Amino acid sequence: LFLSLIHNANPALAEVLHSSTSTKAFTLSPLLGKFQKIDKNLRLISNIDYYIRLTFLSEEIFCHFMDATLKGANQPLRLESAMFNINSVMVNKNESPLCNFQTFEELADSALLERKIQLQFDSVTTFRSGGKRNVLFPEPSLILGSYLAKWQNSSPVKFPDTLNVSCEKVRISRYKLETHIQHFNGYQETGFAGKCTLELDSELPEEAVKAI
């Protein structure tokens, strides 16, 4: 649905976003709203509102998305066999607490000197190792490596290469996790959800702690 919307405004960009295997500069939530549960399936209810939350690490992609929503405001969008109309696009926190905007500089400046970091995985999560195997535990190197790759790929504010070594001095001190199976058409994926606490080594310098 997202790529179809982008395609209506910029077919070339939609193709790049679809075919790229590099770190994505956007995220999409599942479809949010009220569903009917039938067996293991969720069924949409007619004539009520549903939501999708998107985040962007690229101003260019965000601008094309806004352009696409304006151009496609009166055009129905298809998701599987369901048709949707765009009612509104909310972009600031006055409209919704889920909306906000910060520059990379503001994010870096607001970083806390915190040596314990609590993470909550609401969505079922897994890490792909070597392109083949699913890792069903939030290993610090995988969590922080993923965040670092996104930051370095998108931000004009670069962290030093030594931060990778600093990330090795992070351990999990507590966790409460469960594995879950997600069923898709023709296949299934296993992942985990829950909470964990990362603890940073007391010898890590303050600059590395803030970066992490």
Side-chain angles (χ1 to χ4, degrees):
L1 184 147
F2 171 70
L3 291 175
S4 295
L5 182 63
I6 294 293
H7 185 273
N8 292 337
N10 190 321
L13 176 62
E15 178 59 31
V16 169
L17 296 178
H18 175 70
S19 60
S20 175
T21 57
S22 62
T23 302
K24 303 293 185 184
F26 62 92
T27 69
L28 292 87
S29 75
L31 193 64
L32 306 173
K34 185 178 180 181
F35 298 88
Q36 289 179 324
K37 192 167 185 178
I38 301 176
D39 296 326
K40 294 182 179 180
N41 299 313
L42 297 177
R43 179 169 292 179
L44 299 171
I45 302 172
S46 299
N47 300 316
I48 71 168
D49 289 338
Y50 289 90
Y51 304 86
I52 293 177
R53 183 173 186 246
L54 300 101
T55 66
F56 298 91
L57 292 176
S58 162
E59 185 177 1
E60 179 187 6
I61 298 176
F62 172 73
C63 290
H64 281 296
F65 166 74
M66 293 302 295
D67 182 46
T69 59
L70 290 171
K71 291 179 178 177
N74 298 316
Q75 301 177 18
L77 293 170
R78 179 183 294 276
L79 182 59
E80 294 288 349
S81 59
M83 302 300 293
F84 293 87
N85 294 312
I86 299 175
N87 289 334
S88 64
V89 178
M90 295 176 283
V91 296
N92 66 64
K93 58 185 177 183
N94 294 327
E95 298 172 295
S96 168
L98 293 177
C99 300
N100 201 0
F101 168 80
Q102 284 182 290
T103 65
F104 285 100
E105 290 83 0
E106 288 170 338
L107 283 170
D109 290 342
S110 64
L112 302 176
L113 190 60
E114 179 60 70
R115 293 183 185 269
K116 284 189 178 180
I117 303 171
Q118 294 185 338
L119 297 178
Q120 180 160 326
F121 298 88
D122 290 322
S123 301
V124 178
T125 304
T126 188
F127 293 93
R128 189 75 73 188
S129 178
K132 299 178 180 179
R133 182 174 63 89
N134 283 3
V135 178
L136 303 181
F137 191 76
E139 297 174 10
S141 61
L142 296 176
I143 296 173
L144 299 175
S146 175
Y147 290 154
L148 179 58
K150 288 181 173 67
W151 181 278
Q152 299 288 66
N153 190 56
S154 302
S155 172
V157 182
K158 303 299 182 185
F159 292 131
D161 294 336
T162 53
L163 187 59
N164 263 324
V165 178
S166 298
C167 289
E168 295 176 3
K169 296 184 181 296
V170 180
R171 66 184 181 89
I172 290 183
S173 59
R174 298 184 65 181
Y175 65 87
K176 187 176 182 180
L177 303 165
E178 293 183 350
T179 55
H180 298 268
I181 296 177
Q182 293 282 86
H183 297 275
F184 300 92
N185 290 334
Y187 71 101
Q188 64 185 33
E189 292 279 5
T190 305
F192 64 88
K195 302 177 181 180
C196 75
T197 299
L198 303 182
E199 191 165 320
L200 283 60
D201 192 289
S202 60
E203 296 181 357
L204 274 178
E206 291 186 358
E207 293 79 7
V209 174
K210 286 188 174 183
I212 292 172

